[in-house]
Amino acid sequence: MELDKRQHAEPGDGCLVGVVRVPVKIVALIVVLPVRVVCDLLVAFGRGVRRHVLRPLFVYVLRPVLRGVAWALTVLLKLVFVWPWVGLWRFLLEPVYRHVLAPGGRLLYEHLLRPLGRALSRIGRGLLWLGGVLYRYALTPVGHACAWTAAVLWRYLLRPVALGAYRYVLAPLGRALVWAWRVAGLVVRTVWRAFRLIGWVLLGWPLSRVYRHVLTPVGHVVREVWRTVRATVREVRADVRKVLFGGPGREPGRSRARTLGSTTAVGDTPARETPLRAPQG
């Protein structure tokens, strides 16, 4: 009855809306509400377990256990990697350095290295003085003497010898070589001209005469004969076309094909053909 009252109370709702809304509410009451109740119960149960079970277990059991394990691992690592080296340095290396190496080093420096350094420095200062004396009183005079000797040798021996060799040996030899080169060039040119003249007399002139007086007339004769033969062939072709086609018309289509070695057809530019005259009688 309450559902009917709400339906009547809401204006503007049709029958279709009422038919759809009632099953939806029934499904929500039967399916959604129990699921929501179960979810709320699970959430409340989880909160209770976390608050009253897991948190006290972590605080009073797991955390002390983890702290104990961490302390044990720290002690173990220190026992293995830190304390042996600390003990070695504190009880062995440091006493050895303090009571053996340091006093020995001081004694070695005081009684050996410092006197040896002083002796070496004194030896170096004697050596430096000796080098200065040698440079000043030995090497410098020897260097000046060598330079003076080289200048004298160059001025009075090497330079005159070099000038005399250039003037009386190298220059005449060079002039002789130049003259011999020029003479050889003249000889080669003369021999080449002689060979050219002989070749012209023996081969060039006879061949030119043969070409001018034999081959050229023969060529003219052959050209005239070829022209005559070609003209005759054209006249015969014209006669044949006249007999076959009844007039001097163009050649048939098959004869208008391209000639060998040409880009134009035979019939594109036909030669002027003179028809045979009719026989008189």
Side-chain angles (χ1 to χ4, degrees):
M1 295 299 291
E2 184 179 358
L3 181 61
D4 295 336
K5 290 180 180 180
R6 288 182 181 179
Q7 289 178 355
H8 291 294
E10 293 178 357
D13 293 339
C15 298
L16 182 63
V17 176
V19 171
V20 173
R21 184 178 295 175
V22 171
V24 169
K25 289 185 177 181
I26 294 173
V27 171
L29 184 63
I30 296 175
V31 179
V32 177
L33 183 61
V35 172
R36 178 62 182 274
V37 171
V38 172
C39 291
D40 292 339
L41 290 176
L42 291 176
V43 170
F45 179 74
R47 289 178 181 176
V49 169
R50 181 175 65 84
R51 180 178 298 176
H52 299 288
V53 178
L54 297 180
R55 186 174 180 180
L57 180 65
F58 175 76
V59 171
Y60 298 106
V61 178
L62 292 180
R63 188 162 61 183
V65 171
L66 293 176
R67 286 180 179 179
V69 171
W71 179 81
L73 290 176
T74 304
V75 172
L76 181 62
L77 292 176
K78 289 182 179 180
L79 184 62
V80 174
F81 296 103
V82 179
W83 289 343
W85 300 105
V86 172
L88 180 64
W89 168 254
R90 182 175 296 176
F91 298 106
L92 180 62
L93 297 180
E94 187 179 7
V96 169
Y97 172 76
R98 183 180 298 176
H99 299 290
V100 177
L101 296 179
R106 286 194 293 268
L107 292 176
L108 183 65
Y109 175 76
E110 292 290 336
H111 299 286
L112 181 61
L113 296 180
R114 188 165 65 178
L116 182 61
R118 290 177 180 177
L120 291 176
S121 64
R122 290 177 181 176
I123 293 172
R125 291 195 297 268
L127 290 177
L128 290 177
W129 177 81
L130 182 61
V133 171
L134 289 175
Y135 175 77
R136 185 174 183 180
Y137 297 102
L139 298 179
T140 302
V142 170
H144 290 312
C146 291
W148 180 81
T149 304
V152 170
L153 289 176
W154 170 252
R155 184 174 183 181
Y156 296 102
L157 181 62
L158 297 178
R159 183 181 178 187
V161 170
L163 290 177
Y166 174 76
R167 184 175 299 173
Y168 299 106
V169 178
L170 296 178
L173 182 61
R175 288 193 292 270
L177 291 175
V178 171
W179 178 81
W181 181 262
R182 291 178 179 176
V183 171
L186 292 175
V187 171
V188 170
R189 284 198 296 271
T190 304
V191 172
W192 174 247
R193 289 175 182 174
F195 275 113
R196 287 180 60 187
L197 180 60
I198 293 171
W200 171 252
V201 171
L202 295 179
L203 294 176
W205 186 81
L207 291 177
S208 65
R209 297 300 95 184
V210 169
Y211 176 77
R212 179 175 297 179
H213 298 289
V214 177
L215 297 179
T216 301
V218 171
H220 290 315
V221 171
V222 171
R223 185 176 61 186
E224 294 297 332
V225 171
W226 173 251
R227 288 180 178 177
T228 304
V229 170
R230 186 171 59 180
T232 304
V233 171
R234 286 181 178 177
E235 292 177 358
V236 172
R237 278 170 40 189
D239 292 339
V240 172
R241 284 200 304 271
K242 184 177 180 181
V243 171
L244 292 177
F245 301 103
R250 296 182 300 176
E251 294 179 0
R254 288 182 296 177
S255 63
R256 295 179 57 84
R258 291 183 178 180
T259 58
L260 182 61
S262 175
T263 58
T264 60
V266 175
D268 291 339
T269 56
R272 181 178 296 176
E273 296 178 353
T274 304
L276 293 176
R277 294 181 180 179
Q280 297 179 1

